Amino acid sequence: MTYDLVIKNGTVIDPAQGVHGKKDIAVAGGKIAAIEDYVSDGDTHDVIEADGLLVTPGLVDLHVHVWWGVAHLAIEADPVCVYRGVTTAIDAGSSGANTIAGFNRYVMDAVDTRVLAFLHISGMGQLDNDIGELEDIRWARVERAVEAAKLHSDVIVGIKVRLTDNIVGNNDMVALDRALEAGAELNKPVMIHIGGSVHDFDEFLEKLRPGDIVTHSFTGNPHGILDNNNKVIDAAWDAMKRGIIFDVGHGAGSFSFPVAEACQEQGLGPGTVSSDVHRYNLRGPVYDLMTTLSKYIYLGYSIDDALALGTSKPSAAVGLPDHIGTLTVGADADIAVAQLREGPVTFTDAKGNERAGNQLLVPVETLRKGRRFNPIHSTHPDLIGQPHKH
Ligand SMILES: [Zn+2]
Protein backbone atom coordinates (compact mmCIF):
# COMPACT_ATOMS: atom_id res chain seq x y z
CA MET A 1 0.00 0.00 0.00
CA THR A 2 1.38 3.39 -0.97
CA TYR A 3 0.46 6.37 1.14
CA ASP A 4 1.06 10.07 0.65
CA LEU A 5 2.16 10.59 4.21
CA VAL A 6 2.67 8.64 7.42
CA ILE A 7 2.82 10.09 10.92
CA LYS A 8 5.14 7.71 12.79
CA ASN A 9 5.52 6.87 16.46
CA GLY A 10 3.30 9.57 17.89
CA THR A 11 1.16 9.22 20.99
CA VAL A 12 -2.29 9.22 19.42
CA ILE A 13 -4.99 10.68 21.67
CA ASP A 14 -8.52 10.50 20.36
CA PRO A 15 -10.81 11.16 23.32
CA ALA A 16 -14.03 10.36 21.45
CA GLN A 17 -12.85 6.80 20.90
CA GLY A 18 -10.94 6.40 24.15
CA VAL A 19 -7.69 5.97 22.25
CA HIS A 20 -4.43 6.89 23.97
CA GLY A 21 -1.33 5.08 22.77
CA LYS A 22 1.53 4.84 20.33
CA LYS A 23 0.22 4.49 16.80
CA ASP A 24 1.04 5.34 13.22
CA ILE A 25 -1.42 7.17 11.00
CA ALA A 26 -1.35 6.89 7.21
CA VAL A 27 -2.84 9.50 4.88
CA ALA A 28 -3.75 9.01 1.22
CA GLY A 29 -5.72 11.29 -1.08
CA GLY A 30 -6.34 13.75 1.76
CA LYS A 31 -8.08 11.07 3.82
CA ILE A 32 -7.04 8.98 6.80
CA ALA A 33 -6.10 5.63 5.25
CA ALA A 34 -5.01 3.70 8.33
CA ILE A 35 -4.54 4.03 12.08
CA GLU A 36 -2.48 1.07 13.26
CA ASP A 37 0.15 0.16 15.82
CA TYR A 38 2.58 -0.04 12.92
CA VAL A 39 2.28 1.30 9.38
CA SER A 40 5.11 0.71 6.93
CA ASP A 41 6.45 3.95 5.49
CA GLY A 42 8.62 2.17 2.93
CA ASP A 43 7.01 3.66 -0.20
CA THR A 44 5.78 6.85 1.38
CA HIS A 45 6.86 10.25 0.08
CA ASP A 46 6.40 12.12 3.28
CA VAL A 47 6.93 11.07 6.89
CA ILE A 48 6.31 13.07 10.05
CA GLU A 49 8.39 11.63 12.88
CA ALA A 50 6.19 12.21 15.91
CA ASP A 51 8.08 10.31 18.59
CA GLY A 52 7.58 12.27 21.81
CA LEU A 53 4.70 14.25 20.32
CA LEU A 54 0.92 14.04 20.63
CA VAL A 55 -1.21 13.28 17.58
CA THR A 56 -4.84 14.29 17.98
CA PRO A 57 -7.88 15.04 15.88
CA GLY A 58 -7.67 18.50 14.34
CA LEU A 59 -9.02 20.85 16.99
CA VAL A 60 -12.49 22.40 16.76
CA ASP A 61 -12.66 25.98 18.07
CA LEU A 62 -16.29 26.81 18.83
CA HIS A 63 -15.70 30.56 19.10
CA VAL A 64 -13.41 32.62 16.84
CA HIS A 65 -13.67 35.84 14.80
CA VAL A 66 -12.30 35.58 11.27
CA TRP A 67 -14.39 37.87 9.05
CA TRP A 68 -11.20 39.82 8.49
CA GLY A 69 -11.54 43.35 7.10
CA VAL A 70 -15.25 43.60 7.89
CA ALA A 71 -15.94 42.66 11.53
CA HIS A 72 -13.87 45.08 13.62
CA LEU A 73 -12.37 42.43 15.86
CA ALA A 74 -11.67 39.78 13.25
CA ILE A 75 -8.33 38.31 12.27
CA GLU A 76 -7.24 36.15 9.37
CA ALA A 77 -8.34 32.57 9.86
CA ASP A 78 -5.42 30.44 8.76
CA PRO A 79 -2.48 31.81 10.79
CA VAL A 80 -4.26 31.27 14.11
CA CYS A 81 -6.36 28.26 13.14
CA VAL A 82 -4.97 25.71 10.71
CA TYR A 83 -1.37 26.72 11.39
CA ARG A 84 -1.97 26.23 15.10
CA GLY A 85 -3.82 22.93 15.31
CA VAL A 86 -7.39 24.07 14.61
CA THR A 87 -8.84 22.48 11.48
CA THR A 88 -12.45 23.51 12.13
CA ALA A 89 -13.19 27.03 13.36
CA ILE A 90 -16.62 28.38 14.12
CA ASP A 91 -16.99 32.10 13.79
CA ALA A 92 -19.26 33.38 16.53
CA GLY A 93 -21.38 36.12 15.03
CA SER A 94 -18.90 38.23 13.08
CA SER A 95 -21.41 38.12 10.24
CA GLY A 96 -25.15 38.66 10.12
CA ALA A 97 -27.75 38.39 7.39
CA ASN A 98 -26.37 41.48 5.62
CA THR A 99 -22.81 40.18 5.36
CA ILE A 100 -22.88 36.36 5.40
CA ALA A 101 -22.74 36.06 1.60
CA GLY A 102 -19.43 37.92 1.52
CA PHE A 103 -18.07 36.03 4.50
CA ASN A 104 -18.93 32.76 2.79
CA ARG A 105 -17.38 33.67 -0.55
CA TYR A 106 -14.32 35.66 0.50
CA VAL A 107 -13.35 33.83 3.68
CA MET A 108 -14.96 30.41 4.06
CA ASP A 109 -14.42 29.49 0.42
CA ALA A 110 -10.96 31.02 0.30
CA VAL A 111 -9.10 29.82 3.38
CA ASP A 112 -7.63 26.43 4.25
CA THR A 113 -9.25 26.19 7.69
CA ARG A 114 -12.77 24.74 7.64
CA VAL A 115 -14.72 27.82 8.75
CA LEU A 116 -18.36 27.60 9.81
CA ALA A 117 -20.41 30.21 11.63
CA PHE A 118 -23.03 31.21 14.10
CA LEU A 119 -25.02 33.85 12.26
CA HIS A 120 -25.57 36.96 14.36
CA ILE A 121 -29.20 37.86 14.94
CA SER A 122 -28.10 41.44 14.13
CA GLY A 123 -27.92 41.85 10.37
CA MET A 124 -24.67 43.79 10.64
CA GLY A 125 -22.89 41.13 12.69
CA GLN A 126 -20.15 42.52 14.92
CA LEU A 127 -19.22 45.42 12.73
CA ASP A 128 -18.00 48.02 15.16
CA ASN A 129 -16.34 48.21 18.53
CA ASP A 130 -17.95 51.45 19.73
CA ILE A 131 -21.45 51.17 18.32
CA GLY A 132 -23.18 48.02 19.56
CA GLU A 133 -24.86 45.87 16.93
CA LEU A 134 -28.18 45.77 18.81
CA GLU A 135 -28.34 49.21 20.39
CA ASP A 136 -30.89 49.75 17.64
CA ILE A 137 -33.02 46.64 17.95
CA ARG A 138 -34.27 47.04 14.38
CA TRP A 139 -31.08 45.23 13.34
CA ALA A 140 -32.48 42.05 14.93
CA ARG A 141 -34.81 40.78 12.23
CA VAL A 142 -35.82 37.17 12.69
CA GLU A 143 -37.06 36.60 9.13
CA ARG A 144 -33.88 38.00 7.57
CA ALA A 145 -31.69 35.87 9.81
CA VAL A 146 -33.71 32.72 9.10
CA GLU A 147 -33.70 33.39 5.37
CA ALA A 148 -29.93 33.97 5.31
CA ALA A 149 -29.21 30.95 7.51
CA LYS A 150 -31.26 28.74 5.19
CA LEU A 151 -29.51 30.11 2.11
CA HIS A 152 -26.14 29.31 3.72
CA SER A 153 -27.25 26.20 5.59
CA ASP A 154 -24.07 24.33 4.69
CA VAL A 155 -21.99 26.72 6.82
CA ILE A 156 -24.37 28.09 9.47
CA VAL A 157 -24.43 26.05 12.68
CA GLY A 158 -26.61 28.31 14.82
CA ILE A 159 -27.56 31.85 15.86
CA LYS A 160 -25.45 34.23 17.99
CA VAL A 161 -26.55 37.06 20.22
CA ARG A 162 -24.51 39.29 22.56
CA LEU A 163 -26.31 40.52 25.66
CA THR A 164 -23.87 42.98 27.26
CA ASP A 165 -25.31 46.41 27.98
CA ASN A 166 -22.89 48.42 25.81
CA ILE A 167 -23.86 46.19 22.88
CA VAL A 168 -27.64 45.90 23.32
CA GLY A 169 -28.47 48.75 25.69
CA ASN A 170 -31.72 47.79 27.41
CA ASN A 171 -32.69 45.43 24.60
CA ASP A 172 -31.16 42.26 26.04
CA MET A 173 -34.40 40.34 26.65
CA VAL A 174 -35.97 41.18 23.30
CA ALA A 175 -32.68 40.42 21.51
CA LEU A 176 -32.55 37.03 23.22
CA ASP A 177 -36.19 36.31 22.34
CA ARG A 178 -35.53 37.07 18.69
CA ALA A 179 -32.39 34.93 18.59
CA LEU A 180 -34.33 32.05 20.17
CA GLU A 181 -37.18 32.51 17.70
CA ALA A 182 -34.72 32.24 14.80
CA GLY A 183 -32.98 29.27 16.43
CA ALA A 184 -36.30 27.48 16.89
CA GLU A 185 -37.32 28.07 13.28
CA LEU A 186 -33.98 26.74 12.07
CA ASN A 187 -33.86 23.96 14.66
CA LYS A 188 -30.32 25.04 15.49
CA PRO A 189 -28.66 26.13 18.74
CA VAL A 190 -28.39 29.71 19.93
CA MET A 191 -25.12 30.89 21.43
CA ILE A 192 -25.51 33.70 23.96
CA HIS A 193 -22.66 35.96 25.03
CA ILE A 194 -23.08 36.90 28.69
CA GLY A 195 -21.54 39.27 31.24
CA GLY A 196 -22.41 42.86 32.10
CA SER A 197 -26.04 42.68 30.98
CA VAL A 198 -28.96 44.75 32.22
CA HIS A 199 -30.87 41.61 33.25
CA ASP A 200 -29.62 38.79 35.46
CA PHE A 201 -28.04 35.70 33.98
CA ASP A 202 -30.73 33.44 35.46
CA GLU A 203 -33.38 35.25 33.46
CA PHE A 204 -31.52 34.33 30.27
CA LEU A 205 -30.87 30.76 31.35
CA GLU A 206 -34.54 30.11 32.03
CA LYS A 207 -35.32 30.85 28.39
CA LEU A 208 -32.65 28.62 26.85
CA ARG A 209 -33.50 25.29 25.26
CA PRO A 210 -31.49 22.08 25.63
CA GLY A 211 -28.51 22.33 23.29
CA ASP A 212 -28.27 26.11 23.45
CA ILE A 213 -24.81 27.41 24.33
CA VAL A 214 -23.61 30.01 26.81
CA THR A 215 -20.26 31.52 25.85
CA HIS A 216 -18.05 33.47 28.30
CA SER A 217 -19.50 31.17 30.98
CA PHE A 218 -16.63 31.89 33.38
CA THR A 219 -16.50 35.63 32.91
CA GLY A 220 -15.44 37.80 35.83
CA ASN A 221 -17.87 40.51 34.73
CA PRO A 222 -21.12 41.24 36.61
CA HIS A 223 -24.21 39.02 36.15
CA GLY A 224 -22.16 35.88 35.72
CA ILE A 225 -22.40 32.29 36.93
CA LEU A 226 -21.54 32.99 40.60
CA ASP A 227 -23.59 34.82 43.21
CA ASN A 228 -22.13 37.32 45.66
CA ASN A 229 -20.96 34.47 47.90
CA ASN A 230 -19.05 32.79 45.06
CA LYS A 231 -21.66 30.03 44.78
CA VAL A 232 -22.77 28.75 41.39
CA ILE A 233 -26.28 30.11 40.89
CA ASP A 234 -29.16 27.61 41.01
CA ALA A 235 -30.24 28.52 37.49
CA ALA A 236 -26.87 27.34 36.15
CA TRP A 237 -27.24 23.93 37.76
CA ASP A 238 -30.79 23.66 36.40
CA ALA A 239 -29.59 24.69 32.95
CA MET A 240 -26.81 22.14 33.03
CA LYS A 241 -29.28 19.39 33.89
CA ARG A 242 -31.48 20.50 31.00
CA GLY A 243 -28.58 20.16 28.53
CA ILE A 244 -27.48 23.76 28.11
CA ILE A 245 -23.79 23.87 27.22
CA PHE A 246 -21.36 26.10 29.11
CA ASP A 247 -18.61 27.18 26.73
CA VAL A 248 -15.45 29.02 27.81
CA GLY A 249 -15.04 31.67 25.07
CA HIS A 250 -11.94 33.07 26.76
CA GLY A 251 -11.64 36.33 24.85
CA ALA A 252 -10.10 39.59 25.95
CA GLY A 253 -12.46 40.13 28.88
CA SER A 254 -14.36 36.95 29.51
CA PHE A 255 -12.36 34.29 31.32
CA SER A 256 -11.54 34.61 35.00
CA PHE A 257 -9.36 32.10 36.84
CA PRO A 258 -11.08 32.81 40.19
CA VAL A 259 -14.52 32.20 38.63
CA ALA A 260 -13.43 29.07 36.75
CA GLU A 261 -11.70 27.75 39.87
CA ALA A 262 -14.75 28.37 42.07
CA CYS A 263 -16.91 26.54 39.51
CA GLN A 264 -14.47 23.62 39.32
CA GLU A 265 -14.41 23.32 43.11
CA GLN A 266 -18.21 23.16 43.14
CA GLY A 267 -18.23 20.61 40.32
CA LEU A 268 -19.31 22.72 37.37
CA GLY A 269 -16.88 22.48 34.47
CA PRO A 270 -17.20 23.62 30.88
CA GLY A 271 -18.99 21.59 28.19
CA THR A 272 -16.64 23.02 25.58
CA VAL A 273 -13.45 25.10 25.64
CA SER A 274 -13.16 27.76 22.94
CA SER A 275 -10.70 30.60 22.53
CA ASP A 276 -12.75 33.58 21.25
CA VAL A 277 -9.48 34.54 19.60
CA HIS A 278 -9.61 37.94 17.91
CA ARG A 279 -7.41 40.93 17.25
CA TYR A 280 -7.62 42.24 20.81
CA ASN A 281 -6.33 39.04 22.45
CA LEU A 282 -4.23 37.30 19.80
CA ARG A 283 -1.02 38.62 21.35
CA GLY A 284 -2.25 37.57 24.78
CA PRO A 285 -3.83 36.46 26.92
CA VAL A 286 -5.45 34.04 24.46
CA TYR A 287 -2.84 33.36 21.73
CA ASP A 288 -4.66 30.29 20.42
CA LEU A 289 -6.87 27.33 21.36
CA MET A 290 -3.98 25.11 22.49
CA THR A 291 -3.03 27.72 25.10
CA THR A 292 -6.67 27.91 26.23
CA LEU A 293 -6.86 24.11 26.54
CA SER A 294 -3.59 24.19 28.49
CA LYS A 295 -5.30 26.39 31.08
CA TYR A 296 -7.74 23.54 31.70
CA ILE A 297 -4.86 21.08 32.06
CA TYR A 298 -3.53 23.54 34.64
CA LEU A 299 -6.98 23.48 36.33
CA GLY A 300 -6.69 19.72 36.77
CA TYR A 301 -8.03 18.12 33.60
CA SER A 302 -6.24 15.16 32.07
CA ILE A 303 -4.83 15.81 28.63
CA ASP A 304 -7.45 13.48 27.16
CA ASP A 305 -10.32 15.28 28.89
CA ALA A 306 -8.97 18.70 27.93
CA LEU A 307 -8.60 17.64 24.30
CA ALA A 308 -12.17 16.31 24.25
CA LEU A 309 -13.34 19.82 25.17
CA GLY A 310 -11.59 21.16 22.06
CA THR A 311 -12.41 18.35 19.59
CA SER A 312 -15.37 15.98 19.89
CA LYS A 313 -17.40 18.06 22.37
CA PRO A 314 -17.60 21.25 20.30
CA SER A 315 -18.20 19.18 17.17
CA ALA A 316 -21.17 17.50 18.84
CA ALA A 317 -22.43 20.79 20.30
CA VAL A 318 -23.17 22.14 16.83
CA GLY A 319 -24.14 18.83 15.26
CA LEU A 320 -21.17 18.44 12.93
CA PRO A 321 -20.80 15.06 11.21
CA ASP A 322 -19.50 12.35 13.55
CA HIS A 323 -16.07 12.16 11.94
CA ILE A 324 -15.19 15.81 12.71
CA GLY A 325 -13.31 16.02 16.00
CA THR A 326 -12.21 12.39 15.96
CA LEU A 327 -9.83 10.27 13.89
CA THR A 328 -11.73 7.99 11.52
CA VAL A 329 -10.39 5.93 8.64
CA GLY A 330 -11.95 7.31 5.46
CA ALA A 331 -12.56 10.80 6.86
CA ASP A 332 -10.65 13.96 5.90
CA ALA A 333 -7.13 13.81 7.30
CA ASP A 334 -7.62 16.66 9.80
CA ILE A 335 -4.93 15.99 12.38
CA ALA A 336 -3.00 18.07 14.92
CA VAL A 337 0.52 17.20 15.98
CA ALA A 338 1.42 18.92 19.23
CA GLN A 339 4.10 19.00 21.86
CA LEU A 340 3.16 18.93 25.52
CA ARG A 341 5.95 21.21 26.61
CA GLU A 342 7.01 20.62 30.21
CA GLY A 343 8.42 23.54 32.14
CA PRO A 344 7.29 26.69 33.88
CA VAL A 345 4.70 28.71 31.99
CA THR A 346 2.67 31.69 33.16
CA PHE A 347 -1.01 31.62 32.24
CA THR A 348 -2.91 34.91 32.30
CA ASP A 349 -6.70 35.22 32.33
CA ALA A 350 -8.72 38.06 30.83
CA LYS A 351 -8.47 40.08 34.05
CA GLY A 352 -4.70 39.87 34.34
CA ASN A 353 -4.69 37.18 37.04
CA GLU A 354 -1.67 34.95 36.60
CA ARG A 355 -1.20 31.26 37.36
CA ALA A 356 2.05 29.33 37.31
CA GLY A 357 1.63 26.25 35.16
CA ASN A 358 3.95 23.52 34.10
CA GLN A 359 2.52 22.11 30.87
CA LEU A 360 1.78 23.91 27.63
CA LEU A 361 0.33 22.40 24.47
CA VAL A 362 2.25 23.81 21.52
CA PRO A 363 1.26 23.25 17.89
CA VAL A 364 3.95 21.53 15.84
CA GLU A 365 2.20 20.65 12.62
CA THR A 366 -1.39 20.47 11.38
CA LEU A 367 -2.85 18.40 8.60
CA ARG A 368 -6.00 19.65 6.90
CA LYS A 369 -7.26 17.25 4.26
CA GLY A 370 -3.78 15.77 4.39
CA ARG A 371 -1.97 19.02 3.59
CA ARG A 372 0.76 20.10 5.98
CA PHE A 373 0.65 23.40 7.87
CA ASN A 374 3.59 24.20 10.11
CA PRO A 375 3.39 27.22 12.43
CA ILE A 376 6.86 28.41 11.49
CA HIS A 377 5.61 28.80 7.92
CA SER A 378 2.70 30.95 9.02
CA THR A 379 2.78 34.22 7.11
CA HIS A 380 1.56 36.20 10.09
CA PRO A 381 4.56 37.76 11.85
CA ASP A 382 2.75 38.02 15.15
CA LEU A 383 2.29 34.28 15.25
CA ILE A 384 5.87 33.30 14.69
CA GLY A 385 7.89 32.38 17.73
CA GLN A 386 6.98 31.71 21.28
CA PRO A 387 4.93 34.49 22.87
CA HIS A 388 4.75 32.98 26.34
CA LYS A 389 6.64 34.16 29.36
CA HIS A 390 8.80 31.49 30.97
ZN1 LIG B 1 -16.55 36.53 20.46
Short mmCIF file of all heavy atoms in Angstrom, two decimals, residues 63-65 73 92-94 126 160 162 191 193 215-216 249 251 275-278, ligand 1:
data_model
loop_
_atom_site.label_atom_id
_atom_site.label_comp_id
_atom_site.label_asym_id
_atom_site.label_seq_id
_atom_site.Cartn_x
_atom_site.Cartn_y
_atom_site.Cartn_z
N HIS A 63 -15.48 29.12 19.02
CA HIS A 63 -15.70 30.56 19.10
C HIS A 63 -14.45 31.30 18.63
O HIS A 63 -13.47 31.41 19.37
CB HIS A 63 -16.06 30.94 20.55
CG HIS A 63 -16.49 32.36 20.74
ND1 HIS A 63 -17.25 32.75 21.82
CD2 HIS A 63 -16.26 33.48 20.02
CE1 HIS A 63 -17.47 34.07 21.75
NE2 HIS A 63 -16.86 34.53 20.67
N VAL A 64 -14.49 31.78 17.38
CA VAL A 64 -13.41 32.62 16.84
C VAL A 64 -14.04 33.80 16.08
O VAL A 64 -15.26 33.86 15.93
CB VAL A 64 -12.50 31.83 15.86
CG1 VAL A 64 -11.88 30.61 16.54
CG2 VAL A 64 -13.25 31.42 14.59
N HIS A 65 -13.19 34.72 15.62
CA HIS A 65 -13.67 35.84 14.80
C HIS A 65 -12.75 36.02 13.62
O HIS A 65 -11.62 36.51 13.76
CB HIS A 65 -13.77 37.11 15.65
CG HIS A 65 -14.85 37.03 16.66
ND1 HIS A 65 -16.18 37.22 16.34
CD2 HIS A 65 -14.83 36.72 17.97
CE1 HIS A 65 -16.93 37.04 17.41
NE2 HIS A 65 -16.13 36.74 18.43
N LEU A 73 -13.28 43.17 14.99
CA LEU A 73 -12.37 42.43 15.86
C LEU A 73 -11.72 41.24 15.16
O LEU A 73 -10.91 40.54 15.76
CB LEU A 73 -13.12 41.96 17.12
CG LEU A 73 -14.11 40.79 17.00
CD1 LEU A 73 -14.66 40.45 18.36
CD2 LEU A 73 -15.19 41.02 15.99
N ALA A 92 -18.12 33.15 15.64
CA ALA A 92 -19.26 33.38 16.53
C ALA A 92 -19.86 34.77 16.30
O ALA A 92 -19.62 35.70 17.07
CB ALA A 92 -18.86 33.19 17.98
N GLY A 93 -20.57 34.92 15.22
CA GLY A 93 -21.38 36.12 15.03
C GLY A 93 -20.69 37.31 14.39
O GLY A 93 -21.23 38.41 14.41
N SER A 94 -19.52 37.10 13.80
CA SER A 94 -18.90 38.23 13.08
C SER A 94 -19.78 38.70 11.93
O SER A 94 -19.76 39.87 11.56
CB SER A 94 -17.53 37.84 12.53
OG SER A 94 -16.67 37.44 13.57
N GLN A 126 -20.91 41.72 13.94
CA GLN A 126 -20.15 42.52 14.92
C GLN A 126 -19.25 43.49 14.17
O GLN A 126 -18.05 43.31 14.07
CB GLN A 126 -19.36 41.59 15.84
CG GLN A 126 -20.29 40.75 16.70
CD GLN A 126 -19.59 39.80 17.64
OE1 GLN A 126 -20.16 38.81 18.05
NE2 GLN A 126 -18.34 40.09 17.98
N LYS A 160 -26.21 33.58 16.91
CA LYS A 160 -25.45 34.23 17.99
C LYS A 160 -26.17 35.50 18.43
O LYS A 160 -26.72 36.23 17.59
CB LYS A 160 -24.04 34.58 17.48
CG LYS A 160 -23.18 35.41 18.43
CD LYS A 160 -22.43 34.55 19.43
CE LYS A 160 -21.63 35.39 20.43
NZ LYS A 160 -20.47 36.08 19.88
N ARG A 162 -25.31 38.76 21.44
CA ARG A 162 -24.51 39.29 22.56
C ARG A 162 -25.41 40.15 23.42
O ARG A 162 -26.13 41.02 22.93
CB ARG A 162 -23.32 40.11 22.02
CG ARG A 162 -22.40 39.26 21.14
CD ARG A 162 -21.02 39.87 21.02
NE ARG A 162 -21.01 41.19 20.39
CZ ARG A 162 -19.95 42.00 20.39
NH1 ARG A 162 -18.83 41.63 20.98
NH2 ARG A 162 -20.01 43.17 19.79
N MET A 191 -26.23 30.61 20.52
CA MET A 191 -25.12 30.89 21.43
C MET A 191 -25.31 32.29 22.00
O MET A 191 -25.40 33.26 21.25
CB MET A 191 -23.77 30.82 20.69
CG MET A 191 -22.58 31.23 21.56
SD MET A 191 -21.02 31.33 20.65
CE MET A 191 -20.38 29.67 20.87
N HIS A 193 -23.85 35.36 24.42
CA HIS A 193 -22.66 35.96 25.03
C HIS A 193 -23.15 36.69 26.27
O HIS A 193 -24.02 37.55 26.17
CB HIS A 193 -22.01 36.87 23.97
CG HIS A 193 -21.27 38.08 24.45
ND1 HIS A 193 -20.04 38.43 23.93
CD2 HIS A 193 -21.60 39.06 25.32
CE1 HIS A 193 -19.64 39.55 24.50
NE2 HIS A 193 -20.56 39.96 25.34
N THR A 215 -21.69 31.28 25.97
CA THR A 215 -20.26 31.52 25.85
C THR A 215 -19.85 32.62 26.82
O THR A 215 -20.70 33.41 27.25
CB THR A 215 -19.84 31.83 24.40
OG1 THR A 215 -18.41 31.70 24.30
CG2 THR A 215 -20.27 33.23 23.96
N HIS A 216 -18.58 32.63 27.20
CA HIS A 216 -18.05 33.47 28.30
C HIS A 216 -18.62 33.01 29.64
O HIS A 216 -18.86 33.80 30.54
CB HIS A 216 -18.36 34.96 28.10
CG HIS A 216 -18.02 35.49 26.74
ND1 HIS A 216 -16.89 35.11 26.06
CD2 HIS A 216 -18.66 36.39 25.92
CE1 HIS A 216 -16.85 35.73 24.89
NE2 HIS A 216 -17.91 36.51 24.77
N GLY A 249 -15.10 30.39 25.80
CA GLY A 249 -15.04 31.67 25.07
C GLY A 249 -14.15 32.67 25.79
O GLY A 249 -14.59 33.73 26.23
N GLY A 251 -11.56 34.94 25.27
CA GLY A 251 -11.64 36.33 24.85
C GLY A 251 -10.72 37.27 25.59
O GLY A 251 -9.84 36.86 26.37
N SER A 275 -11.67 29.53 22.27
CA SER A 275 -10.70 30.60 22.53
C SER A 275 -11.31 32.00 22.49
O SER A 275 -10.87 32.89 23.18
CB SER A 275 -9.56 30.52 21.50
OG SER A 275 -10.05 30.86 20.22
N ASP A 276 -12.32 32.21 21.61
CA ASP A 276 -12.75 33.58 21.25
C ASP A 276 -11.54 34.41 20.81
O ASP A 276 -11.40 35.58 21.19
CB ASP A 276 -13.50 34.24 22.41
CG ASP A 276 -14.16 35.57 22.01
OD1 ASP A 276 -14.33 35.82 20.80
OD2 ASP A 276 -14.48 36.35 22.92
N VAL A 277 -10.67 33.81 20.04
CA VAL A 277 -9.48 34.54 19.60
C VAL A 277 -9.88 35.63 18.60
O VAL A 277 -10.71 35.43 17.72
CB VAL A 277 -8.41 33.58 19.01
CG1 VAL A 277 -8.87 32.92 17.72
CG2 VAL A 277 -7.07 34.28 18.83
N HIS A 278 -9.35 36.81 18.81
CA HIS A 278 -9.61 37.94 17.91
C HIS A 278 -8.48 38.95 18.04
O HIS A 278 -7.51 38.71 18.77
CB HIS A 278 -11.00 38.55 18.14
CG HIS A 278 -11.27 39.01 19.54
ND1 HIS A 278 -10.55 40.02 20.13
CD2 HIS A 278 -12.18 38.59 20.45
CE1 HIS A 278 -11.04 40.21 21.35
NE2 HIS A 278 -12.01 39.36 21.58
ZN ZN B 1 -16.55 36.53 20.46
#
